[in-house]
Amino acid sequence: MTVVTRFAPSPSGNLHVGGARTALYCWAFARGREGRLVLRIEDTDRKRSSEASSLGFMTDLDWLGIDWDEGPVRGDQGGGDHGPYFQSERLAIYAEHLDRLVAEGKAYHAFDTSEELDAKRKAARQAKEAYRYDRAALALTAEEVAAKLAAGEPSVIRFRTPDAAITIVDEVLGEATLPAGEVDDFVIRKADGYPTYHFAVVIDDAMMGVSHVLRAQEHFNNTAKHIILQDALGLPRPVYGHLSLIFNPDGSKMSKRDKDKVLRTAVKERAIEGPPADPLGAPMVEADVWATWLGDKSVQLDLETLERVAAALDVSLPEINVADFRRSGYLPEVLCNFLALNGWSAGDDLEKFDNTFLAERFHLDRVQKTPAKFDRDKLLAFNLDAIQEMSPDVFHDLASAHAAEFRPEFLERLDQGQFRILCDASRERSKTLDEPFLVNGFLVSADDEIEWAVTKPVRKAMFKGEPTGLELLAQIRPVLEAIPSFDAVSIETAITAFVEAHADGNLGRIAQPLRIAVSGGPISPPIYDTLAILGHAAVSSRIDRCLAVLSELAPSK
Ligand code: GLU
């Protein structure tokens, strides 16, 4: 038997790390068994699905190195004999099977209005009973049904659930039996003509030859519906494995809500009054929406708005989606390694491995039933290790690609030589590909944007000592100005000579004032590199401004 797994995202958002882990397990299970991975886009919810989201999923999978054998065509992958791979393009296939079920009396048209159904649900609630569809539609004669259909009355198709217990066998969670009557006559085709998830998934898994369904645990209960549909349609049953959710260390579900929470907390802590304004001066969020969001933890802002507000307030949001981790500068192979460990173990306490190893070793036996806890510190440590193991060339190439996508201002402002110096100076202490840019924003600021606050380290470096840091700074300015070729080695030679002559050979006495002058703060890459990256003109101009600003604030002697 050929192993066929599938990853079947609904394109209504972004690829969450939980979804990425499902995709990775599906990929590894197929790859390790000479099987195939199918990518199927489950876009039958017309209101929520979007093409941008489908593309986003594929981009994220590509980035993670999860390639598919069958599915939407992208580059040299995809295609296949079982397409189309977008469910919205498979309506004729579903219709054929729906008609068959209706003709066989295994499914029926129902014309109940949503008001009627709501009233029945409400009555069930009041009677403290579980609501089940009462099969009112079955009271109609075949003629009445035909007449209503001919008149174009809106209808759904419901599956006539057999009156029997249903047993789900799951390779990860074990067996569960639902007593007869638990599953009511559920809808398999919606009023808009589209199949429901349950119906489409069953048809497609069978048509696409799927042998193993690995998916999120939230679908475990749905499996009962899928099994009875398979039986009614005479379709084979794949092997099921349901994967636990990924949780935060505090036990909460890892989700977009975490971003809302971080932003809300920051807004409250900083006592920010209203929503920030966009560049045209309009509030980014309507005042009443903002107030509701701030006061009610269950209310969320949409992702785009949330990110704009966070950027405006300089709040960094926790990564949840694959795209977030990418933007934060994680390496795809590290994220895969880490995700693989969140819910599966290789045994022998082995923690570091690549996708090839995962494919060789992945087995459902070692998939954990209990939820995994996502340890961000550990992920960061993995990423740091991987960066430290890289050669300077590789780091430079990856950092350039990262900058091209997320930090273009660095490529615009620095020439190739300067960019290389930044990479070489940052590699050993960077935990992510983004860190060289994140912590060195001053390199791309306009010279007149640098600001100085008289903090403790600034006071010490600039105002203390004999001569003071400011005085040394004034003295070294013409020395730097006179360097003919402003590279790190020439700068080092000039500064070393200056330090011998004017600062008792103590480099720190001048390095720290220089650093503060050019960056605004006490932290930067090594000082010679920093100055070389900035270049002659910026260094002189920043020193001048610093001298002017801080001399005003210096305590009088
Ligand atoms: N489209 C479903 C989802 O994104 C997955 C369905 C399945 O794997 O069966 O949750």
Side-chain angles (χ1 to χ4, degrees):
M1 181 188 78
T2 311
V3 165
V4 179
T5 58
R6 86 306 192 271
F7 181 57
S10 302
S12 59
N14 301 281
L15 181 58
H16 178 277
V17 279
R21 188 196 55 181
T22 300
L24 182 65
Y25 286 5
C26 290
W27 175 91
F29 192 83
R31 286 288 167 274
R33 290 164 182 75
E34 289 175 15
R36 297 200 318 269
L37 171 65
V38 176
L39 174 64
R40 180 172 75 227
I41 307 293
E42 303 207 323
D43 58 347
T44 54
D45 186 336
R46 299 315 288 157
K47 280 203 216 85
R48 300 185 63 212
S49 302
S50 78
E51 199 183 322
S53 169
S54 304
L55 286 173
F57 273 89
M58 289 188 251
T59 304
D60 291 343
L61 292 173
D62 278 346
W63 179 72
L64 289 166
I66 299 175
D67 56 339
W68 57 95
D69 305 289
E70 277 186 52
V73 177
R74 192 172 158 96
D76 57 2
Q77 63 184 332
D81 298 336
H82 307 90
Y85 295 95
F86 284 81
Q87 287 187 329
S88 60
E89 294 169 19
R90 299 174 63 78
L91 299 189
I93 301 174
Y94 306 130
E96 197 186 307
H97 294 280
L98 283 162
D99 289 349
R100 179 156 64 90
L101 281 186
V102 172
E104 290 171 0
K106 293 174 179 168
Y108 56 90
H109 290 276
F111 300 87
D112 315 75
T113 62
S114 40
E115 292 76 30
E116 284 164 353
L117 293 174
D118 284 347
K120 288 178 185 174
R121 273 195 205 98
K122 197 170 157 200
R125 244 197 330 273
Q126 278 166 357
K128 297 205 164 39
E129 281 168 9
Y131 168 77
R132 280 189 190 86
Y133 179 63
D134 60 3
R135 295 189 161 168
L138 283 180
L140 300 173
T141 63
E143 291 71 30
E144 284 169 329
V145 170
K148 280 173 179 288
L149 289 176
E153 240 185 75
S155 69
V156 300
I157 297 181
R158 288 181 180 269
F159 179 64
R160 193 169 180 164
T161 299
D163 187 23
I166 311 165
T167 298
I168 306 170
V169 181
D170 185 284
E171 291 299 308
V172 175
L173 300 177
E175 255 185 51
T177 298
L178 270 76
E182 191 81 1
V183 177
D184 73 351
D185 288 1
F186 54 100
V187 174
I188 55 179
R189 198 206 65 191
K190 296 175 277 186
D192 65 2
Y194 280 76
T196 57
Y197 156 66
H198 303 299
F199 192 75
V201 86
V202 161
I203 298 295
D204 290 346
D205 284 343
M207 297 297 130
M208 296 176 182
V210 171
S211 64
H212 290 74
V213 171
L214 307 181
R215 64 184 171 194
Q217 199 167 319
E218 67 200 27
H219 292 297
F220 180 75
N221 283 336
N222 294 334
T223 309
K225 294 180 177 160
H226 303 171
I227 288 174
I228 51 180
L229 277 172
Q230 284 153 358
D231 289 349
L233 290 156
L235 298 174
R237 185 169 308 164
V239 174
Y240 287 101
H242 286 89
L243 311 168
S244 64
L245 289 175
I246 298 184
F247 282 83
N248 289 311
D250 69 2
S252 61
K253 192 174 147 191
M254 199 175 160
S255 76
K256 149 123 189 335
R257 264 170 214 285
D258 302 341
K259 293 183 192 251
D260 289 87
K261 189 172 160 193
V262 165
L263 187 62
R264 194 180 285 117
T265 306
V267 167
K268 285 186 179 162
E269 273 174 12
R270 293 198 219 156
I272 294 170
E273 291 283 328
D278 66 19
L280 296 175
M284 287 184 177
V285 185
E286 307 260 332
D288 53 335
V289 175
W290 178 263
T292 316
W293 170 78
L294 205 55
D296 184 347
K297 278 192 229 157
S298 66
V299 176
Q300 298 187 46
L301 292 178
D302 69 80
L303 185 59
E304 208 185 307
T305 307
L306 195 74
E307 289 184 341
R308 282 175 61 216
V309 172
L313 300 177
D314 206 13
V315 174
S316 74
L317 300 178
E319 299 91 355
I320 303 289
N321 299 320
V322 168
D324 301 334
F325 288 93
R326 180 177 187 186
R327 191 170 41 202
S328 292
Y330 286 89
L331 303 166
E333 57 277 17
V334 170
L335 189 57
C336 283
N337 180 179
F338 184 74
L339 286 177
L341 287 175
N342 272 260
W344 175 80
S345 69
D348 314 326
D349 288 336
L350 197 87
E351 290 210 302
K352 299 268 180 83
F353 48 77
D354 61 11
N355 282 357
T356 309
F357 173 91
L358 177 68
E360 277 163 20
R361 295 283 284 270
F362 187 78
H363 202 284
L364 294 180
D365 286 355
R366 284 193 169 275
V367 173
Q368 293 148 16
K369 280 188 202 167
T370 47
K373 290 205 171 150
F374 197 87
D375 179 350
R376 291 175 187 273
D377 293 339
K378 184 165 172 173
L379 171 61
L380 206 52
F382 272 30
N383 213 54
L384 174 71
D385 290 350
I387 287 179
Q388 287 187 340
E389 281 162 21
M390 263 175 209
S391 72
D393 283 352
V394 170
F395 181 70
H396 167 261
D397 293 351
L398 292 174
S400 306
H402 181 84
E405 205 170 348
F406 303 109
R407 301 281 188 180
E409 62 279 17
F410 279 80
L411 293 171
E412 283 153 20
R413 165 70 173 73
L414 311 187
D415 66 26
Q416 285 183 17
Q418 292 169 325
F419 190 85
R420 177 74 200 215
I421 300 173
L422 174 61
C423 292
D424 288 349
S426 314
R427 184 180 63 85
E428 281 185 6
R429 44 185 174 161
S430 289
K431 292 184 279 304
T432 67
L433 292 178
D434 196 53
E435 199 166 324
F437 315 112
L438 179 69
V439 301
N440 294 316
F442 73 91
L443 291 174
V444 293
S445 303
D447 295 336
D448 57 7
E449 268 172 22
I450 306 294
E451 286 174 2
W452 298 271
V454 186
T455 57
K456 209 167 162 200
V458 170
R459 191 174 299 119
K460 176 163 182 261
M462 298 305 217
F463 302 153
K464 297 276 157 69
E466 194 52 55
T468 64
L470 276 184
E471 284 161 348
L472 287 171
L473 200 56
Q475 283 177 33
I476 202 167
R477 188 202 177 289
V479 176
L480 296 174
E481 182 83 5
I483 298 174
S485 153
F486 207 68
D487 55 69
V489 174
S490 311
I491 296 169
E492 178 170 5
T493 309
I495 292 183
T496 309
F498 178 88
V499 167
E500 288 306 326
H502 303 279
D504 302 328
N506 180 351
L507 174 65
R509 292 278 285 118
I510 188 61
Q512 210 51 355
L514 272 172
R515 176 171 283 127
I516 290 167
V518 299
S519 76
I523 298 164
S524 83
I527 191 63
Y528 312 128
D529 293 332
T530 303
L531 299 183
I533 295 169
L534 281 166
H536 231 154
V539 169
S540 297
S541 139
R542 290 178 186 201
I543 291 177
D544 288 344
R545 275 193 65 241
C546 178
L547 286 171
V549 171
L550 287 184
S551 301
E552 291 285 307
L553 303 173
S556 45
K557 284 199 176 175

